Amino acid sequence: MFTGIIEGIGTILQKGTAGGGVVLTIEADFELTDPEEGESIAVNGTCLTARNIQGNRFQADVSPESLSRTGLGKLVVGSRVNLERALRLSDRLGGHIVSGHVDCLGSVLERKPAGDFTLFTFSLDPDLARYIIEKGSITINGVSLTVNSCDDQYFSVSIIPHTLSVTTLGELKPGDRVNLEVDIIGKYVEKLLLGKDQRAKSSISTAFLAEHGFL
């Protein structure tokens, strides 16, 4: 489990293949204090298992399933990625609850300045649009952000200069693909209210949640 608050940037040192998946060797720009073989690290928002940890370097296996749902397969030697180690129970929850299980890939549709901020607009899978609400939470390449506006095909976020400087989001440009994870709480609420068989036909909205006491 993660928070979406990035600890640092990693650089891909090596990329290999194994068992239909990919093996990444990553160097973090911060020390992995008290490292534990097999611990979880979010790489661009994707929960991976760290092994062969040596100083600030580690290896991670990316399964075929993760390759199909994320942009990790497009990484090359020299690519920079956002890194976050797993949440500890004593940590502050500075972002929101992030599982590290990417839902889909989105694309940068637009990037433009808005005062001291930068406004990004992203496309998304229409099947996931019902989980994204105005002022709700979204994870983009592992970064916890607040949704400015949204509809069935896009959403926008306003990013502060600090976030752009300490994550890889500052490098994004129109056409770039990003890993998206919607707020997991919305999925649980939907299933509890509607049941598994009706989930695909869900019409969850802000008004619906308010009517049932969730807002």
Side-chain angles (χ1 to χ4, degrees):
M1 197 65 68
F2 307 91
T3 68
I5 304 300
I6 301 304
E7 292 187 54
I9 303 296
T11 301
I12 306 301
L13 299 181
Q14 295 179 339
K15 179 181 179 181
T17 58
V22 166
V23 180
L24 300 175
T25 301
I26 303 172
E27 182 175 58
D29 65 1
F30 59 95
E31 285 297 322
L32 300 174
T33 55
D34 301 319
E36 292 188 21
E37 193 77 6
E39 70 171 279
S40 295
I41 296 182
V43 178
N44 270 359
T46 307
C47 180
L48 299 178
T49 299
R51 60 181 178 84
N52 295 335
I53 303 172
Q54 298 180 8
N56 59 347
R57 296 185 180 187
F58 65 94
Q59 288 186 316
D61 299 301
V62 186
S63 69
E65 168 69 9
S66 294
L67 291 176
S68 70
R69 287 181 175 267
T70 74
L72 296 185
K74 300 295 184 181
L75 297 175
V76 297
V77 172
S79 292
R80 286 158 42 89
V81 292
N82 296 320
L83 298 178
E84 180 189 355
R85 299 179 75 181
L87 173 68
R88 294 173 296 190
L89 291 179
S90 60
D91 287 342
R92 293 186 178 90
L93 187 60
H96 71 284
I97 297 174
V98 176
S99 70
H101 301 152
V102 173
D103 289 299
C104 72
L105 286 169
S107 296
V108 181
L109 297 178
E110 185 180 38
R111 173 179 178 162
K112 62 181 181 181
D116 293 333
F117 302 83
T118 301
L119 185 66
F120 283 89
T121 301
F122 297 90
S123 67
L124 76 155
D125 184 337
D127 289 339
L128 294 171
R130 65 183 182 272
Y131 301 117
I132 300 176
I133 62 172
E134 187 174 324
K135 306 309 177 188
S137 297
I138 185 79
T139 306
I140 302 174
N141 277 357
V143 184
S144 173
L145 296 166
T146 300
V147 177
N148 269 22
S149 61
C150 57
D151 70 8
D152 290 341
Q153 296 183 325
Y154 82 93
F155 69 94
S156 66
V157 295
S158 182
I159 304 181
I160 63 175
H162 173 76
T163 301
L164 291 180
S165 68
V166 299
T167 72
T168 63
L169 297 186
E171 303 168 10
L172 293 178
K173 59 186 183 301
D176 285 347
R177 302 276 275 169
V178 294
N179 296 328
L180 299 178
E181 180 187 335
V182 300
D183 193 344
I184 193 172
I185 293 176
K187 294 181 179 180
Y188 282 117
V189 169
E190 179 183 63
K191 186 171 182 179
L192 287 169
L193 291 178
L194 299 177
K196 182 178 180 181
D197 294 337
Q198 300 181 43
R199 183 172 54 178
K201 299 181 290 184
S202 169
S203 58
I204 291 290
S205 65
T206 304
F208 182 92
L209 294 175
E211 179 183 349
H212 289 80
F214 287 93
L215 293 177

